[in-house]
Structure formats: structure tokens, C-alpha cells
Amino acid sequence: MSTNQRLTTARIEADPEVPLIRITRDFRATPAQVQRAHVDPEIFALWIGPASVEAKIDYWDARTGGSWRYAATRGEEEYWFHGSFHDVLPGKIVQTFTWEGMPDGVALETVRFEDLGDGWTRLTAQSLGDSFEGRDAWLQSGMEVGVQEGYAALDALIAREQNA
């Protein structure tokens, strides 16, 4: 894909060879702005999707060696997630991700923030699961709605920040 084509809707792909999900999405923002939205718990809680849930941060230490835990809540329902930040570097985050409803399904995630120039950043996230079954369960869980709605909310947050 050419870097002049803008992906303003997330492209979500399942790798046929390994239990990996790849997400690609462009944002009209700097790499630092998009990365900050992934490491600042106050900002993260405002956009993480889907739109029908609210994020409740339990703890959040976004540094190399740190960890995090949050709940996606909808009414009385709570879905808890946790992980560890392996590396938090400029332009890149490497972390683990576990949905506590499937505690044996730990994914290793790498998120990169690429400057495309002209005020655009391409986010590329890879989540490597431990099985095809686990990966496919995530894909069938409604994950796509959460990704699309969450990134749309992030777009709106960034636009408000830029117009403030």
C-alpha cells in the first residue's frame, strides 16, 4: 500500500500462517500524539472502544517494565484486560494483552507509529496469539466494532485537541 493512500478505517487482517492479527490505520496527527493516546491512561480511557462501553482504569504504568489493567464496562457488565509493557519507546510499544475471560490466551502486541508526512501517522499493530483458535475467537468477539469505533473516537479527540 502506498503511503499516500489514507486508511481512515482500520484494516484488520488475520495472517494465514501464524495466529496473528494485524491492524493498520492512519490518523491526521503526529506519531507522538497517537502514541500518547496509547500510553496516557486518561486519554486511553476516552477512546478505547466500542462506543457502548466505558473504560475504567485499575492501574497503568506505561513505561518499559510497567503493567496495566482496565475494565470495559457496560451497565453491570465488566470485561477486564491486563498486560505488561515490555518496551515503551518513541514510535513503538511492545506489550502483552490478556482478556481475563480467556486467561490462557496471552497475546504479544507490537504497535508502531510511522510518520507519513503531511500531518499523517500510520499505526500498525500486530497481536500474536498462542493459537489459531484463540485468535479466531478474538476476531469473532466483536473486536472489529471496538477497533473501528475506538479509532473513530480517537480521531475526534485528536481533532478537538488540534482545534483547541
Side-chain angles (χ1 to χ4, degrees):
M1 161 169 298
S2 154
T3 55
N4 349 1
Q5 286 181 284
R6 301 293 176 230
L7 285 169
T8 54
T9 299
R11 183 177 62 206
I12 302 171
E13 304 168 293
D15 189 299
E17 303 295 320
V18 294
L20 180 108
I21 298 169
R22 185 174 296 107
I23 300 170
T24 309
R25 173 68 152 72
D26 296 344
F27 294 90
R28 182 171 271 299
T30 66
Q33 286 174 302
V34 181
Q35 185 165 1
R36 186 171 140 240
H38 285 76
V39 296
D40 182 315
E42 291 178 16
I43 298 171
F44 181 83
L46 294 174
W47 67 265
I48 194 68
S52 62
V53 302
E54 208 173 300
K56 179 171 70 175
I57 305 293
D58 183 22
Y59 55 86
W60 196 274
D61 184 11
R63 64 177 174 82
T64 298
S67 60
W68 57 269
R69 184 172 187 251
Y70 77 92
T73 64
R74 182 186 298 120
E76 296 298 311
E77 296 175 62
E78 290 187 341
Y79 302 94
W80 285 92
F81 305 90
H82 71 269
S84 297
F85 290 104
H86 181 76
D87 280 317
V88 178
L89 306 166
K92 181 178 169 185
I93 300 168
V94 179
Q95 65 184 7
T96 59
F97 178 93
T98 302
W99 171 42
E100 294 181 8
M102 285 177 53
D104 294 333
V106 179
L108 177 62
E109 297 188 335
T110 302
V111 185
R112 288 184 167 77
F113 308 92
E114 175 190 0
D115 189 345
L116 298 177
D118 198 29
W120 286 88
T121 294
R122 176 160 295 157
L123 174 147
T124 306
Q126 293 189 155
S127 296
L128 178 62
D130 60 354
S131 71
F132 285 98
E133 296 78 19
R135 180 207 60 194
D136 294 345
W138 287 339
L139 289 168
Q140 294 163 8
S141 72
M143 175 194 122
E144 181 172 358
V145 171
V147 168
Q148 300 294 2
E149 291 180 358
Y151 285 154
L154 179 52
D155 272 336
L157 280 173
I158 291 169
R160 279 197 303 272
E161 178 183 294
Q162 291 172 339
N163 293 326

